[in-house]
Amino acid sequence: MKLTVGFYCGLARRLSKETEAEVEVHEGATLRDVCAALAKKFPAFLGQLIVPGTHDLVEPHFFNVNGSRAANLDVTVQEGDRILLMAITAGG
Amino acid sequence: MFGYMGKILRVNLTENRITEERLEENIARAFLGGRGLGAKILFDELAPGIDPLSPENKLVVAAGVVTGIPFAGNCRYVIMGKSPLTNIWGETNASGFFGPELRFAGFDAIVFEGKAERPVYLWVHNGEAQLRDASHLWGKVTGETEELIKRELQDDRIRIASIGPGGENLVRYACVLSDFHHANGRTGMGAVMGAKNLKAIAVRGTLKIPLADRDRIAELCKQASKEVWEGAYKDLLHKYGSDGDLDDLHATGRLPTKNFQKCTFEQYENITGETMAETILVRRDPCFACPIACNQVVAAQEPYVVDPAYGGPEYESAAALGSTCMNGDLVAVAKANELCNKYSLDTISTGVTIAFAMECYEKGLLTKADTDGIELTWGNHQAIIQLVEKIAKREGIGDLLAEGVKRAAEKIGRGAEAFAIHIKGQEVPMHEPRGKKGVGLAYATSNRGACHLQAEHDDFFEDPSWLFPEIGLDKTIDRLDMGRDKARMVKILGDFKALYDSLSVCMYASWPEGGVRVQTIKDIVAAATGWDVTLAELMTVGERAFNLCRAFNVREGVSRKDDVLPARLMEPLPEGLYQGQAIPKEQFEQMLDYYYEFRGWDKETGIPTEEKLEELGLGYVTAKLKTSRQSK
Ligand code: SF4
């Protein structure tokens, strides 16, 4: 299935030069699979934004799915979900 | 008493008299230092209703109980007095080296009172203090003042907090600078120094802080150094400073732009921390004992010559002098920042005031005839630089803008108030409350007027890993939520921040933004003082300080009617990820009800109840509040 991930953090936009990206993942995919697909599409993500191997997100990045923060990367997603890649911004 | 130098210096500038007072242990334990100690001194000693720029005002410079103990983020100190910008509680803290040196020089705090007949500076050295003539320094910018004092006293290691022409000319948002670029930015404490003819405070010392358990402190400092590397932001902070957040705030539509009319900025990439690092950055400076070294130092030649001695813009300065004025020229932002540091002007208030003037110009309320011929169009960076100079010198239009947006709007009239983005008279900092609504409540209830540092921001507390049940943060809450739990969160975080400002630790080095754990800081306090302190006791110190500052403001007439947001910040956001998000009045008032309930304040008036004050050991405050209300 095809998913659109909105980039709502500076790093993803800087590394990809895009504000969103479409990725292809299998049915029943998790956010970790989305990370893997993103890393494949944008190899520059690996290291700075996505941990090589585990495909974890580098702190303080996280996903917001359909308006709520995703609890972890094992959350499954489906076509039509609104997926945002974000970062916690500090208050200083 | 351990953990403290045990002495407060009292400097009567009118009588040229310096005395020493003992810091009593019961006061130290109840207020810790920094904000708490300053609140105690100023609430007890200042009469309500005084003019902040008169000799009746006092200025307290206070370090905290951990200031100078060598672990990351322990370097801060606080300057407090009645604010000439807001006419209520004024307070501003800074990192760097001055705070620790004040303690090594022998004192936990200095209280200035009266007004010197002619310009003076205070020289404090290993337990000795003297007032020295500063006539030859008057009119000099901060950096030159520091250099001249160091030369005069023949010691390069002296730490100096000084004002430039902005403070001397009583710009209502003048700040205080140390080491050229560490700013005690907000609430106009530089103007209070100027009004007292106090040009600078120079400190130097080699005295040791008496510590109850030196071995344990050494262990804990080692532990803190380990923890600091675990902070989620340390790399970002080191590489890009706080301006590393600017791109995220643009991406989420929370970057104040065009005087808060917009929340994304087309040219944002020009002014990010990342761009700064790739272009004009020359090095990154640390503070005392802090390996994060997040102070970005910049230099440039074109289109402006920017002197690296004055550091570089952090996020607030980059947004206030950049996006808020639609200025996408990084070197111009850096130049305006340099000038603010030289002249001792708060970058946030300066930027927001210039943006206000630009909007007035756009809407025809100011014309070239008012602006001394300056074309005050959005993004005109030559105009921004010119205005910074004029404000510091109170020249032409600068004299009006030196008053801050609230007073300037009142003078301009004809609806200009709508463009004056302030709370309780202080210009709003660079955080968009419609995209993190706890910030809105914290803005409205802050004791020093609009302030982004009263409570850590909402983003963190959507994530269970950042919760802290030991202090009551036990539930994740969405950033856009405006319910009861959010009000409770803001209350707890407000007490927590008041605690940090009383300990005087840096929020970038400690939880949640930094790695140093609160538990470790608590253990350091215990090992330094020998007190058997608990986290609950420390949180009560924070709550006590918060309430005492509120009581200070209540005595000045503050009540529920003043806990408001500017109308513009309540309207639906016009664009971005949170387009349409507003802070509806009814919901805001409901949130305020909840907040007062958690605070133990009267819901009608917003005044701390007798029971709450009694519970915090501030029973005597109730009587003082009653007397001041009766005499009105
Ligand atoms: S984190 Fe940055 S501002 Fe805070 S003490 Fe360390 S270097 Fe200074």
Side-chain angles (χ1 to χ4, degrees):
Chain A
M1 61 181 172
K2 282 195 170 123
L3 297 171
T4 303
V5 181
F7 296 156
Y8 288 92
C9 58
L11 186 59
R13 288 188 182 195
R14 190 153 48 90
L15 297 175
S16 68
K17 310 247 175 293
E18 304 285 350
T19 55
E20 60 176 38
E22 198 172 79
V23 288
E24 178 106 40
V25 288
H26 59 83
E27 291 294 325
T30 64
L31 286 170
R32 199 178 300 281
D33 298 322
V34 173
C35 278
L38 283 172
K40 203 162 163 205
K41 189 157 190 162
F42 304 109
F45 280 14
L46 279 173
Q48 288 195 65
L49 185 57
I50 295 173
V51 180
T54 63
H55 293 137
D56 274 321
L57 279 176
V58 171
E59 249 189 336
H61 294 90
F62 67 95
F63 282 110
N64 177 301
V65 180
N66 299 329
S68 303
R69 188 192 165 96
N72 53 52
L73 295 183
D74 301 325
V75 167
T76 52
V77 282
Q78 16 182 328
E79 213 159 331
D81 279 347
R82 187 163 188 244
I83 306 172
L84 315 180
L85 178 53
M86 304 180 83
I88 294 175
T89 49
Chain B
M1 176 172 55
F2 290 108
Y4 292 87
M5 305 314 286
K7 288 193 294 188
I8 297 174
L9 198 61
R10 191 172 285 269
V11 181
N12 187 311
L13 294 161
T14 311
E15 295 169 13
N16 196 6
R17 183 161 42 85
I18 300 178
T19 48
E20 275 181 27
E21 288 165 15
R22 251 171 66 113
L23 173 60
E24 299 298 340
E25 187 155 2
N26 61 332
I27 298 294
R29 188 153 183 174
F31 297 96
L32 287 176
R35 190 201 295 193
L37 183 61
K40 169 73 179 152
I41 294 170
L42 291 167
F43 182 86
D44 290 0
E45 296 186 15
L46 285 190
I50 58 155
D51 175 357
L53 295 176
S54 72
E56 282 75 48
N57 199 4
K58 297 190 185 190
L59 196 73
V60 176
V61 179
V65 58
V66 295
T67 310
I69 295 175
F71 70 94
N74 65 342
C75 61
R76 292 186 91 88
Y77 75 107
V78 193
I79 305 184
M80 295 152 284
K82 184 171 176 183
S83 163
L85 186 62
T86 60
N87 271 326
I88 55 172
W89 172 252
E91 168 197 341
T92 174
N93 66 48
S95 54
F97 296 86
F98 183 93
E101 201 68 33
L102 169 64
R103 299 244 289 173
F104 305 150
F107 298 93
D108 298 301
I110 307 173
V111 183
F112 292 96
E113 43 194 38
K115 177 184 178 177
E117 204 179 317
R118 65 178 79 86
V120 291
Y121 73 90
L122 180 74
W123 166 223
V124 188
H125 183 214
N126 279 346
E128 304 284 324
Q130 73 179 139
L131 283 166
R132 297 175 65 102
D133 180 49
S135 307
H136 57 301
L137 302 172
W138 208 250
K140 303 268 188 258
V141 297
T142 54
E144 203 180 347
T145 302
E146 288 195 30
E147 278 167 354
L148 288 168
I149 291 177
K150 283 181 182 172
R151 206 175 305 156
E152 190 169 305
L153 299 172
Q154 296 182 2
D155 188 345
D156 254 359
R157 288 161 301 177
I158 293 170
R159 300 295 176 179
I160 297 156
S162 72
I163 55 166
E168 294 171 10
N169 294 326
L170 312 183
V171 176
R172 287 189 185 269
Y173 44 88
C175 66
V176 182
L177 265 294
S178 59
D179 290 315
F180 288 61
H181 64 93
H182 294 292
N184 294 87
R186 307 232 70 196
T187 69
M189 292 300 106
V192 177
M193 278 180 71
K196 295 191 172 306
N197 269 333
L198 177 64
K199 177 70 176 170
I201 309 160
V203 293
R204 170 86 181 104
T206 50
L207 302 176
K208 282 207 159 78
I209 303 167
L211 299 171
D213 188 343
R214 259 179 209 284
D215 294 342
R216 179 82 180 120
I217 287 282
E219 246 171 60
L220 288 164
C221 287
K222 244 192 238 158
Q223 188 176 319
S225 331
K226 239 196 276 157
E227 287 170 5
V228 84
W229 296 114
E230 286 156 20
Y233 288 92
K234 57 158 201 326
D235 291 336
L236 275 179
L237 265 173
H238 173 72
K239 279 209 256 181
Y240 311 125
S242 57
D243 198 27
D245 273 354
L246 191 139
D247 56 351
D248 297 311
L249 290 166
H250 162 83
T252 47
R254 298 184 294 176
L255 176 64
T257 302
K258 206 178 184 189
N259 199 26
F260 294 86
Q261 295 182 77
K262 288 166 55 58
C263 52
T264 63
F265 181 41
E266 259 175 43
Q267 299 173 63
Y268 81 95
E269 268 184 305
N270 296 354
I271 57 168
T272 61
E274 290 78 355
T275 301
M276 196 154 65
E278 283 161 11
T279 55
I280 58 173
L281 185 85
V282 290
R283 60 169 202 279
R284 301 168 175 101
D285 277 356
C287 296
F288 177 84
C290 186
I292 297 176
C294 75
N295 302 287
Q296 313 287 297
V297 178
V298 303
Q301 292 301 325
E302 291 286 334
Y304 301 98
V305 176
V306 179
D307 182 352
Y310 288 92
E314 37 72 74
Y315 166 68
E316 295 297 322
S317 311
L321 300 162
S323 57
T324 305
C325 299
M326 302 283 278
N327 171 22
D329 187 306
L330 180 62
V331 178
V333 167
K335 182 66 190 177
N337 178 71
E338 176 220 82
L339 290 175
C340 284
N341 287 354
K342 272 184 172 162
Y343 293 135
S344 70
L345 298 179
D346 174 35
T347 53
I348 300 175
S349 286
T350 303
V352 175
T353 303
I354 293 173
F356 159 80
M358 286 177 157
E359 189 166 354
C360 286
Y361 189 81
E362 179 190 50
K363 308 254 158 86
L365 299 181
L366 289 175
T367 66
K368 267 193 181 173
D370 305 300
T371 64
D372 317 316
I374 298 174
E375 190 89 63
L376 215 46
T377 44
W378 291 110
N380 178 352
H381 54 80
Q382 285 97 345
I384 294 172
I385 307 285
Q386 279 174 290
L387 281 194
V388 175
E389 299 258 5
K390 281 177 175 287
I391 289 169
K393 295 171 186 161
R394 279 191 177 266
E395 263 174 25
I397 178 119
D399 192 35
L400 174 74
L401 300 181
E403 293 291 289
V405 295
K406 179 172 182 277
R407 289 177 176 81
E410 282 162 8
K411 281 191 189 150
I412 295 168
R414 293 172 289 150
E417 283 89 348
F419 320 139
I421 311 302
H422 72 89
I423 298 167
K424 297 186 175 77
Q426 176 156 260
E427 291 72 20
V428 172
M430 298 298 107
H431 295 274
E432 175 48 74
R434 288 165 288 184
K436 36 183 171 179
K437 296 193 175 164
V439 170
L441 180 59
Y443 272 176
T445 53
S446 152
N447 284 314
R448 64 169 186 167
C451 171
H452 57 296
L453 300 169
Q454 294 297 312
E456 192 48 75
H457 295 186
D458 306 49
D459 289 22
F460 281 103
F461 307 102
E462 291 179 331
D463 178 350
S465 64
W466 254 286
L467 294 181
F468 191 3
E470 291 87 339
I471 62 169
L473 299 171
D474 47 11
K475 271 187 213 166
T476 54
I477 309 173
D478 191 274
R479 64 187 66 185
L480 301 179
D481 182 279
M482 292 183 72
R484 195 179 162 81
D485 288 338
K486 182 61 71 73
R488 179 169 168 269
M489 180 189 102
V490 172
K491 184 266 175 195
I492 294 169
L493 289 168
D495 292 343
F496 184 74
K497 192 61 187 18
L499 166 65
Y500 265 17
D501 290 348
S502 302
L503 294 163
S504 298
V505 293
C506 179
M507 56 182 269
Y508 289 144
S510 320
W511 180 91
E513 294 189 26
V516 180
R517 291 166 58 237
V518 183
Q519 182 70 27
T520 306
I521 297 173
K522 185 213 82 166
D523 291 345
I524 290 174
V525 175
T529 57
W531 301 332
D532 184 17
V533 286
T534 60
L535 198 50
E537 178 182 340
L538 291 182
M539 284 298 287
T540 303
V541 174
E543 189 175 12
R544 188 175 292 124
F546 199 100
N547 277 271
L548 198 47
C549 294
R550 177 71 173 191
F552 183 99
N553 288 347
V554 167
R555 213 167 49 170
E556 300 293 340
V558 166
S559 67
R560 180 169 183 140
K561 69 180 185 325
D562 303 291
D563 292 344
V564 292
L565 290 171
R568 180 169 286 175
L569 299 187
M570 300 177 89
E571 291 160 5
L573 271 176
E575 56 179 352
L577 180 60
Y578 300 116
Q579 184 173 19
Q581 278 295 326
I583 301 187
K585 178 129 180 69
E586 239 171 68
Q587 261 176 282
F588 175 76
E589 293 297 333
Q590 173 73 74
M591 188 161 59
L592 206 53
D593 275 347
Y594 292 139
Y595 178 82
Y596 289 161
E597 189 186 315
F598 289 118
R599 278 243 163 267
W601 295 355
D602 181 82
K603 272 197 202 165
E604 297 289 307
T605 61
I607 297 176
T609 58
E610 222 169 313
E611 299 75 51
K612 176 46 82 178
L613 292 171
E614 196 64 53
E615 176 196 316
L616 293 170
L618 296 172
Y620 78 104
V621 168
T622 306
K624 282 204 170 198
L625 290 183
K626 276 190 187 146
T627 326
S628 83
R629 257 176 287 158
Q630 275 157 9
S631 62
K632 272 192 187 138

